[in-house]
DNA sequence: AGCACGCCGACT
DNA sequence: GTCGGCGTGCTC
């Protein structure tokens, strides 16, 4: 095995295949499949993944691998297989697939350097030459700043300077440096005695060691005596002390203690549900379960006890939760039960923290991973169960390039490990429930709430009626009255509004002109605090104009209400009310989400006002009222899942009220009270909603009756976009079967984003065995355009947003 | 991605 | 006649 096939870190389709390299003799024992290596590629050095070892290559002249980057492969055989599968189904590069499966810390960084050649002596500007004298080499960016890139290019041509690349090995592991005495105490004393001269600081350090004879960390010593690095190094040279480094994990939960919990006694309902799961774990069978349990019915306890069984058998478990509900509360439940057997992976962690948590898995120091979508790639090798909580959540589908669904990966892994996959939800996705009905998944149900409490009382308020009777505020009389009632009882309230900012659009009352983003086909949102209008798609910001830019009229008005406006209106109606606002704007900073929730938990506010991010996971005993300000905002977007999403959101948010001793109430305000998704959310009747919605989907030829593929082309040039899209559709029509429905080409619902026009087509199909290969061809056919003209063609299997 | 090579128009 | 723009092809 002297040759390694390597996928290089060059993100283009042209290089999306293995390149062969010779393994130098000194690394023959070291280099394995799945490791990262540095290889020469053209004129530079790049990172790569070894995907195969072999003895012969079709290529005549091979270059040698420079060096390995890992001691243990970062991708095991299963992950390599998953990566290839992912690349195929998500139409992405193998490289990209490997990268999403790994923590971002392992992604290579490159730095371009220049060095001075003999011929360049005296030819460069002073500022640059000085640099060379000081450091010997200069980073390209630094040099560029000094003398400009064109000069540098010329200097390279003239042979004055050399350019080379370095793969930056980021010291990812956090090391703690210790100094320990070289000898035992008596030898140490003798040596000290024999040493003729000791500096002042050195003496202090020696005394410290004499009083406490054990290793001390550099940080500890520095705290005592100031900056002592130099002195310590001298002592090391005198062979009194010796430095040692230990790796230390960055523990995001280090200052938290978790109260140990014991398995709870299961209700009859729960026992019935967990039985089949445990059986499949015991028999080592693959089976997908849909655990349908109403809010508060104790799904988490079933997860916990299934995992317990898995751990007992020496196996491992992955638990996926939606990012947003990965709150301390959730983490606490798992850490409380399984202690340090748990690693946590979510986007709130720093790059280093993620890397450390990931490595705990790699080194088999933990048996459980709780995490968001990408945690499905946790490198366990002996999985006993995979759990996906809130299975219906759209955040399990990655909307960027590798467009994968965590559920699909979970099932793939479940098959390979012969273990169950448990999908849990109070409002399952239609797709999953339909599969359960067909027997593809096995349905398990929890129909009762654990505490035997009834579901909260839900009331619907017709806002048209409110308008007719002269109430033009955002709050119906009923909701306002109930808010006041809770305030006087010192109970807490959650208000949901699905729109951030102040108002959703700005319109001129004279000419009807709506302020639009200059780069996107989207109306601008008014933010009062900064008096700006913003585009939530491209980030465009501008001062709010005083007059209409179209007709010059001063009658510019704001329509629709966002969280900012509601907050303001609340302040006017109830002057002393304490409100916490939670939306993308207030939770941008790291840890802000957590902090706001904590403040609410500690009753520092009466009302929690937020967008859908508050709908999940919070479980505070004092919440007795949930208000949904406008239930219809989501209903009218052009999305075949609009009703489903509305039903899910209303049901989920209703579940926030009255989870404990105090009974809960929910008020839903709407302009379309007759709509079935609102009516059935009131009754919390999932099954009936399912029946109704399935009829709609069947008529509309949507999932779960048809599978969907979205192909989207975007570019600055509209003609180009249209012509490519047309060619694609023509090609598809010629290749796909007659039963397939191809819709389009048509402009995307948002026809332009960031100055790029967007066109799309939709494929609806039931069975199309060659589909992936045909779509792969589409990708290939337009490779040239994608590269040279910068056209982007995205193919999305089972898309979740059709915007 | 980065780089070389080749072709073309524009300018010293 | 040379400089520099871009389209194309190649990197084991």
């Amino acid at each position: 095995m002297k040759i390694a096939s390597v996928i290089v870190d060059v993100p283009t389709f042209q290089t999306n295949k293995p390149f062969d390299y010779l393994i130098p003799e000194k690394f023959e024992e070291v280099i394995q499949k799945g490791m990262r290596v540095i290889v020469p590629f053209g004129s530079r050095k790049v990172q790569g993944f070894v995907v195969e070892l072999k003895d012969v290559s079709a290529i005549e002249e091979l270059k040698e691998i420079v060096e390995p980057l890992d001691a243990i492969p970062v991708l095991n055989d299963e992950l390599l297989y998953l990566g290839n599968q992912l690349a195929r189904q998500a139409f992405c590069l193998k490289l990209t697939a490997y990268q999403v499966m790994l923590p971002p810390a392992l992604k290579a960084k490159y730095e371009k350097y220049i060095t001075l050649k003999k011929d360049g002596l005296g030819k460069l500007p002073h500022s640059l030459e000085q640099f060379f004298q000081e450091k010997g080499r200069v980073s390209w960016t630094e040099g560029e700043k000094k003398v400009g890139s064109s000069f540098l290019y010329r200097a390279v041509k003239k042979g004055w300077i050399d350019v080379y690349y370095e793969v930056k090995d980021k010291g990812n592991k956090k090391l703690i440096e210790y100094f320990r005495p070289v000898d035992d105490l008596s030898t140490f004393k003798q040596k000290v005695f024999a040493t003729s001269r000791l500096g002042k600081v050195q003496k202090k350090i020696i005394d410290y060691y004499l009083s406490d004879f054990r290793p001390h960390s550099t940080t500890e010593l520095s705290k005592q005596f100031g900056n002592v690095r130099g002195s310590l190094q001298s002592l090391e040279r005198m062979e009194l002390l010796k430095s040692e480094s230990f790796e230390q994990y960055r523990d995001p939960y280090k200052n938290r203690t978790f109260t140990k919990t014991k398995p709870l006694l299961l209700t009859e309902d729960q026992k019935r549900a967990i039985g089949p799961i445990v059986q499949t774990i015991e028999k080592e069978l693959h089976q997908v379960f849909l655990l349908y349990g109403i809010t508060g019915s104790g799904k988490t306890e079933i997860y916990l006890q299934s995992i317990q069984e898995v751990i007992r058998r020496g196996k491992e478990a992955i638990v996926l939760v939606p990012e947003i509900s990965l709150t301390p509360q959730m983490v606490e439940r798992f850490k409380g039960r399984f202690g340090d057997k748990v690693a946590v992976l979510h986007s709130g962690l720093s790059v280093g923290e993620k890397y450390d948590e990931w490595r705990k898995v790699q080194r088999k120091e933990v048996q459980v991973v709780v995490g968001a979508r990408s945690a499905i790639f946790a490198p366990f090798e002996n999985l006993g169960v995979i759990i996906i909580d809130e299975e219906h959540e759209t955040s399990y589908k990655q909307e960027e390039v590798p467009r994968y669904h965590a559920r699909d990966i979970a099932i793939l892994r479940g098959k390979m490990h012969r273990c169950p996959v448990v999908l849990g939800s109070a409002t399952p996705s239609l797709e999953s429930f339909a599969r359960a009905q067909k027997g593809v998944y096995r349905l398990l149900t929890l129909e009762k709430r654990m505490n035997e409490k009834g579901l909260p009382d839900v009331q619907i308020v017709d806002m048209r009626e409110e308008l007719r009777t002269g109430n033009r505020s955002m709050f119906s009389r009923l909701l306002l009255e109930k808010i006041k009632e809770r305030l006087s009882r010192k109970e807490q309230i959650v208000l949901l509004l699905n729109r951030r900012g102040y108002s959703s659009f700005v319109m001129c009352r004279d000419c009807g002109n709506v302020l639009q983003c200059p780069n996107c086909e989207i109306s601008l949102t008014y933010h009062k605090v900064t008096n700006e209008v913003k585009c939530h798609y491209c980030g465009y910001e501008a001062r709010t104009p005083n007059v209409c830019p179209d007709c010059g009229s001063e009658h510019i008005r704001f329509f629709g209400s966002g969280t900012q406006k509601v907050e303001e209106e609340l302040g006017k109606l109830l002057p002393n009310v304490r409100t916490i606002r939670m939306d993308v704007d207030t939770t941008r900073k790291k840890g802000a989400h957590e902090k706001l929730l904590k403040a609410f938990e500690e009753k520092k506010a009466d009302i929690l006002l937020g967008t859908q991010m508050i709908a999940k996971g919070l479980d505070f005993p004092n919440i007795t009222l949930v208000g949904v300000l406008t239930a219809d905002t989501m209903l009218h977007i052009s999305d075949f899942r609009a009703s489903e999403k509305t039903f899910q959101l209303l049901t989920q948010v209703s579940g926030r009220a009255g989870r404990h001793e105090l009974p809960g109430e929910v008020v839903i305000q709407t302009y379309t009270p007759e709509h079935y998704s609102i009516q059935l959310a009131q009754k919390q009747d999932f099954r009936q909603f399912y029946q109704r919605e399935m009829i709609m989907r069947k008529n509309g030829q949507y999932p779960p009756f048809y599978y969907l593929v979205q192909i989207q082309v975007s570019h600055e040039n509209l003609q180009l976009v249209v012509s490519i899209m047309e060619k694609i559709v023509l090609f598809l029509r010629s290749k796909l079967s007659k039963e397939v429905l191809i819709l389009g080409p048509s402009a995307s619902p948002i026809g332009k984003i960031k100055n790029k026009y967007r066109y799309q087509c939709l494929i609806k199909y039931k069975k199309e065995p060659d589909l992936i290969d045909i779509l792969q061809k589409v990708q290939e056919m337009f490779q040239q355009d994608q590269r040279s003209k910068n056209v982007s063609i995205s193919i999305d299997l089972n898309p979740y947003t059709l915007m």
Side-chain angles (χ1 to χ4, degrees), chain A residues 470-642:
Chain A
N471 178 10
R472 310 194 65 191
S473 105
M474 297 209 50
F475 298 95
S476 59
R477 282 157 302 176
L478 180 75
L479 180 58
L480 196 60
E481 187 188 306
K482 291 205 182 288
I483 292 176
K484 284 181 182 158
E485 200 179 290
R486 306 299 139 137
L487 290 176
S488 69
R489 293 212 302 253
K490 302 242 177 296
E491 292 169 6
Q492 288 174 299
I493 303 149
V494 167
L495 292 181
L496 177 88
L497 179 68
N498 241 340
R499 194 185 283 143
R500 70 183 174 111
Y502 189 85
S503 73
S504 57
F505 60 100
V506 185
M507 187 171 89
C508 170
R509 303 233 327 215
D510 281 347
C511 70
N513 175 38
V514 175
L515 284 190
Q516 279 227 328
C517 173
N519 314 317
C520 313
E521 260 177 31
I522 271 291
S523 47
L524 294 168
T525 305
Y526 173 58
H527 285 238
K528 193 176 187 188
V529 193
T530 48
N531 191 32
E532 280 174 330
V533 285
K534 293 185 186 177
C535 171
H536 290 173
Y537 282 84
C538 73
Y540 171 86
E541 290 175 359
R543 286 283 301 277
T544 309
N546 296 319
V547 295
C548 170
D550 227 37
C551 72
S553 157
E554 286 176 18
H555 295 132
I556 294 188
R557 292 292 178 275
F558 310 110
F559 291 87
S561 309
T563 43
Q564 282 182 21
K565 186 172 178 189
V566 172
E567 190 179 22
E568 186 183 290
E569 204 173 311
L570 265 176
K572 275 187 204 149
L573 287 167
L574 310 156
N576 293 321
V577 77
R578 298 168 304 162
T579 311
I580 288 179
R581 194 181 100 220
M582 245 172 86
D583 53 32
V584 196
D585 300 295
T586 62
T587 54
R588 221 182 299 269
K589 267 196 279 171
K590 191 187 169 188
H593 190 255
E594 225 173 87
K595 222 157 130 191
L596 291 176
L597 284 180
K598 185 138 183 92
F600 189 64
E601 187 179 9
E602 288 166 354
K603 300 189 187 162
K604 287 182 181 146
D606 312 299
I607 299 181
L608 180 65
L609 163 69
T611 51
Q612 55 189 323
M613 65 170 69
I614 60 168
K616 270 157 226 116
L618 38 144
D619 186 359
F620 301 139
N622 206 36
I623 300 173
T624 60
L625 176 64
V626 168
V628 180
L629 293 174
T630 40
D632 353 47
T633 32
M634 289 220 300
L635 215 47
H636 304 309
I637 49 173
S638 58
D639 180 344
F640 70 92
R641 275 185 249 260

Side-chain angles (χ1 to χ4, degrees), chain A residues 6 24 111 268-269 282 306 349 388 413 415 424 479 512 532 536 564 591 694 710 778-779:
Chain A
V6 176
E111 181 91 61
E268 281 306 311
D269 237 17
E282 280 168 359
S306 309
L349 305 179
I388 302 187
R413 293 197 79 178
K415 276 183 193 153
L479 180 58
E532 280 174 330
H536 290 173
Q564 282 182 21
M694 284 296 270
Q710 184 198 35
V778 171
Q779 192 81 266

